[in-house]
Amino acid sequence: MKNLPSIKQLQYLLAVHQYQHFGRAAEACFIGQSTLSSAIQNLEETLGCQLIERENRSIMFTSIGEEVVERARKIIDDTISVKELTKSFLNPLQGQLSIGIIPTVASFIAADLYHLCAKEFPQLELVLIEDTSDNLLDKLEKGQVDVALLALPYDTNKFHTHILAQDPFNIVRHKDYQAAEGVVDFNLLPPSSVFLLEREHCLTDHALSACHLSKSECINPFEAASLHTLLSMVERQLGVTFLPQMAINAGILSHKPMVFSAAQDTAYRDIGILWRKTSGRIRDFRLLCDKLKPFFTEKCAR
């Protein structure tokens, strides 16, 4: 067997690439800087090429160094996958599981999800992380979360995706706001009468697409940061908004003078769970899906 790089050396290389600094990388790896520098030097000698250019206190990865980093990242991912595979086989859904959830889902299911997992998987330590879709996909790719709960469609080709439920959209208005009553084509709503979330929330894109809202005149330029802000506008009879059934079932309209109706039969968002294709915990995730599917089906039921 030829002399090959060690997993530890590759981990150190990735740390240096992440922090772009030997001292900070050493701290992150809980070793001394001299130990890390020696390991990188030994790695370069093993490979027979320079990976990092060092000048005073600055460093720069060579072109081949960047390529090695990409290969090293895959090797580490695959190695972690092997460990996860055996752990999942011996102890399914035990230990820690981190789930990333977008805000327009987390707001309505987070507490119940904790209760469900505590009941069904008592040996599981559940960690929920709420963030936007883009940020969660980045965290998922980097291994900072194990799975992500997103609203689809979304560009998720890098990951395995399993659909859990369809969440229908509803048009929501004040009970005395007549301008939206009986409207079939939502593009015919009054100018600036449709209130939506900020674009970074995927709910806006899903609502626009699912409800076929293409006429910009009806969309108010104000972009809300939360669903509760949207409802404050609707409550003052300034216009309407679109909410998923999950939010309504969770009681977001309780004790408010508002009514809702189905937007259209085909207006819905998919709730999906995503994981890395290289993960070794697929058995865990499929078992989780078996429990989450009826859970989300109930949450989204009309």
Side-chain angles (χ1 to χ4, degrees):
M1 180 72 72
K2 293 182 178 180
N3 187 23
L4 297 174
S6 69
I7 295 297
K8 188 64 69 178
Q9 287 174 331
L10 297 180
Q11 287 178 313
Y12 292 162
L13 181 69
L14 292 181
V16 175
H17 189 268
Q18 178 181 353
Y19 292 98
Q20 294 292 308
H21 189 276
F22 275 87
R24 289 192 292 271
E27 289 178 8
C29 295
F30 302 102
I31 59 173
Q33 184 172 336
S34 60
T35 301
L36 183 136
S37 297
S38 178
I40 297 298
Q41 185 175 351
N42 290 337
L43 175 61
E44 290 178 320
E45 291 173 358
T46 298
L47 297 177
C49 62
Q50 185 180 19
L51 304 176
I52 303 173
E53 294 181 10
R54 307 157 178 84
E55 183 177 355
N56 295 327
R57 295 187 177 183
S58 65
I59 66 170
M60 182 178 71
F61 276 73
T62 62
S63 58
I64 187 61
E66 292 287 353
E67 290 189 41
V68 171
V69 164
E70 289 305 311
R71 297 291 182 94
R73 188 170 285 118
K74 185 178 186 307
I75 291 170
I76 298 300
D77 286 345
D78 288 344
T79 304
I80 293 173
S81 178
V82 169
K83 186 175 181 180
E84 289 176 340
L85 177 65
T86 54
K87 183 179 179 181
S88 175
F89 176 77
L90 295 171
N91 303 294
L93 280 175
Q94 292 190 21
Q96 188 179 95
L97 178 72
S98 57
I99 301 180
I101 314 181
I102 58 173
T104 55
V105 172
S107 300
F108 311 112
I109 61 93
D112 289 343
L113 184 57
Y114 268 116
H115 285 298
L116 173 72
C117 289
K119 176 184 176 183
E120 299 291 343
F121 312 110
Q123 302 303 314
L124 183 67
E125 179 190 350
L126 185 64
V127 177
L128 298 184
I129 299 171
E130 183 177 343
D131 211 332
T132 62
S133 297
D134 283 342
N135 289 342
L136 287 180
L137 290 178
D138 184 60
K139 286 181 168 66
L140 184 60
E141 186 173 8
K142 293 177 178 177
Q144 295 171 355
V145 296
D146 297 310
V147 296
L149 285 168
L150 265 61
L152 307 172
Y154 213 82
D155 183 10
T156 60
N157 290 334
K158 289 183 179 179
F159 310 101
H160 178 83
T161 304
H162 186 90
I163 303 299
L164 298 171
Q166 289 183 348
D167 192 14
F169 278 106
N170 300 274
I171 182 171
V172 178
R173 62 179 177 87
H174 189 281
K175 62 183 180 62
D176 296 326
Y177 186 73
Q178 304 300 320
E181 190 172 2
V183 173
V184 177
D185 183 354
F186 300 124
N187 292 293
L188 300 179
L189 288 166
S192 299
S193 66
V194 176
F195 290 89
L196 300 170
L197 288 175
E198 295 170 331
R199 284 287 181 161
E200 68 178 22
H201 293 278
C202 58
L203 183 64
T204 290
D205 287 335
H206 292 151
L208 290 172
S209 175
C211 301
H212 305 291
L213 278 165
S214 59
K215 189 176 180 180
S216 60
E217 286 83 356
C218 70
I219 300 173
N220 196 289
F222 172 76
E223 295 182 343
S226 71
L227 293 178
H228 293 285
T229 303
L230 290 182
L231 293 181
S232 69
M233 299 296 184
V234 175
E235 191 167 6
R236 291 300 185 94
Q237 300 190 48
L238 296 175
V240 303
T241 192
F242 292 88
L243 292 183
Q245 189 69 37
M246 180 188 297
I248 292 173
N249 289 349
I252 197 172
L253 299 183
S254 296
H255 310 299
K256 294 183 182 295
M258 302 183 197
V259 294
F260 67 93
S261 59
Q264 292 175 353
D265 291 339
T266 58
Y268 62 85
R269 61 177 186 169
D270 285 321
I271 304 299
I273 184 169
L274 291 77
W275 59 80
R276 293 180 298 280
K277 294 178 180 178
T278 58
S279 176
R281 301 184 69 179
I282 294 177
R283 187 168 179 264
D284 275 357
F285 302 153
R286 293 197 184 281
L287 181 60
L288 182 66
C289 286
D290 290 341
K291 296 299 180 181
L292 290 186
K293 196 155 190 173
F295 171 80
F296 275 99
T297 298
E298 179 182 353
K299 294 294 182 185
C300 301
R302 275 206 164 120

